[in-house]
Amino acid sequence: MPASLLVPSILASDHADLTAGALLVESLQLPWLHIDIMDGHFVPNLTFGPQTVAALRKHSSLFFDVHLMLDQPQRFVEPFAKAGANQISIHVEPEYDHATTLAAIRALGCKCGIVLNPGTPAAAVEPLLAQVDLVLVMTVQPGFGGQVFRHDMLPKIAQLDLWRANRGLSFRLEVDGGVDLATGPACRAAGADTFVVGTAFFSAPDPAAVARATAAW
Ligand code: DX5
Ligand code: ZN
């Protein structure tokens, strides 16, 4: 299992000063930044477009972990790659050609990930596991930060970790939603190695203390 990695989610930072959020993450020597892209269709909320990501790219050299919550992600992988994404993750639920879209992400020079909503079984991504750099298990219904962690997702994480080990695969196993100092260790025990943390990082009185605590997971 890869070393544990805390990935702050810019969704929970001040949207009028995204640069400050990115610089805080950099100042703590955390290498990745999670960027949630929502279209108001696949999820009932709107966030950032490629122009925002491109603007932030000018102020940060962090690894941009871009999570597309879109009905038609295949239409947007190129604009986000050109905007400076380093990794682009797409949901398995909408109907489009997942394998072709993952290959397109790679061809654009980015790492690629596949994402499962809480209601989606691990089997839905099984045929794609050999093709991805990351599998993202949503531990809340996506759309909003600050929701309560779903403990019933832990067996799904364990199943994906088991497939990874049995098949000699090396994708990262990421969790997203309600992850904090209480729920993160349970995800780690189930096999997750990459922890998206929004509210529990940016709203913490001392984000550096959160970073230090997660390093021990
Ligand atoms: C939820 C997003 C998450 C969100 C997590 O739809 O995908 O990345 O930022 O936020 P917290 O950590 O507050 O649950
Ligand atoms: Zn996310």
Side-chain angles (χ1 to χ4, degrees):
M1 191 192 298
S4 69
L5 182 64
L6 168 65
V7 187
S9 174
I10 199 81
L11 180 70
S13 76
D14 177 359
H15 287 213
D17 197 357
L18 296 173
T19 300
L23 292 179
L24 170 62
V25 173
E26 274 179 42
S27 74
L28 297 174
Q29 276 84 50
L30 297 169
W32 286 24
L33 183 70
H34 188 79
I35 306 178
D36 286 311
I37 311 297
M38 306 187 187
D39 68 353
H41 292 270
F42 182 68
V43 290
N45 197 4
L46 294 163
T47 55
F48 318 110
Q51 201 173 347
T52 307
V53 174
L56 193 55
R57 179 83 285 171
K58 295 203 174 84
H59 297 279
S60 173
S61 56
L62 290 169
F63 180 94
F64 283 180
D65 173 32
V66 174
H67 173 195
L68 298 184
M69 285 160 273
L70 310 176
D71 260 341
Q72 299 185 56
Q74 75 280 12
R75 290 176 53 199
F76 292 98
V77 294
E78 185 168 354
F80 280 104
K82 288 188 171 156
N86 299 101
Q87 175 165 265
I88 299 177
S89 298
I90 55 175
H91 273 259
V92 73
E93 292 83 10
E95 292 229 352
Y96 61 97
D97 188 333
H98 305 105
T100 299
T101 307
L102 290 166
I105 294 169
R106 258 192 214 289
L108 288 160
C110 296
K111 293 197 168 191
C112 64
I114 192 79
V115 193
L116 306 86
N117 274 341
T120 303
V125 299
E126 192 183 359
L128 300 167
L129 293 181
Q131 205 190 327
V132 297
D133 298 293
L134 175 130
V135 176
L136 168 50
V137 175
M138 291 307 303
T139 43
V140 298
Q141 188 63 28
F144 300 92
Q147 301 184 72
V148 176
F149 178 83
R150 299 246 325 234
H151 284 89
D152 56 334
M153 295 299 105
L154 294 173
K156 191 195 296 189
I157 297 165
Q159 173 68 77
L160 288 160
D161 182 44
L162 188 66
W163 282 337
R164 173 168 64 176
N166 288 347
R167 298 171 192 190
L169 297 172
S170 57
F171 58 82
R172 297 198 73 102
L173 187 44
E174 185 175 59
V175 286
D176 183 8
V179 179
D180 60 19
L181 295 181
T183 58
C187 296
R188 180 67 173 168
D193 47 67
T194 307
F195 306 89
V196 177
V197 180
T199 307
F201 178 82
F202 281 104
S203 297
D206 184 4
V210 176
R212 279 195 301 276
T214 56
W217 289 356

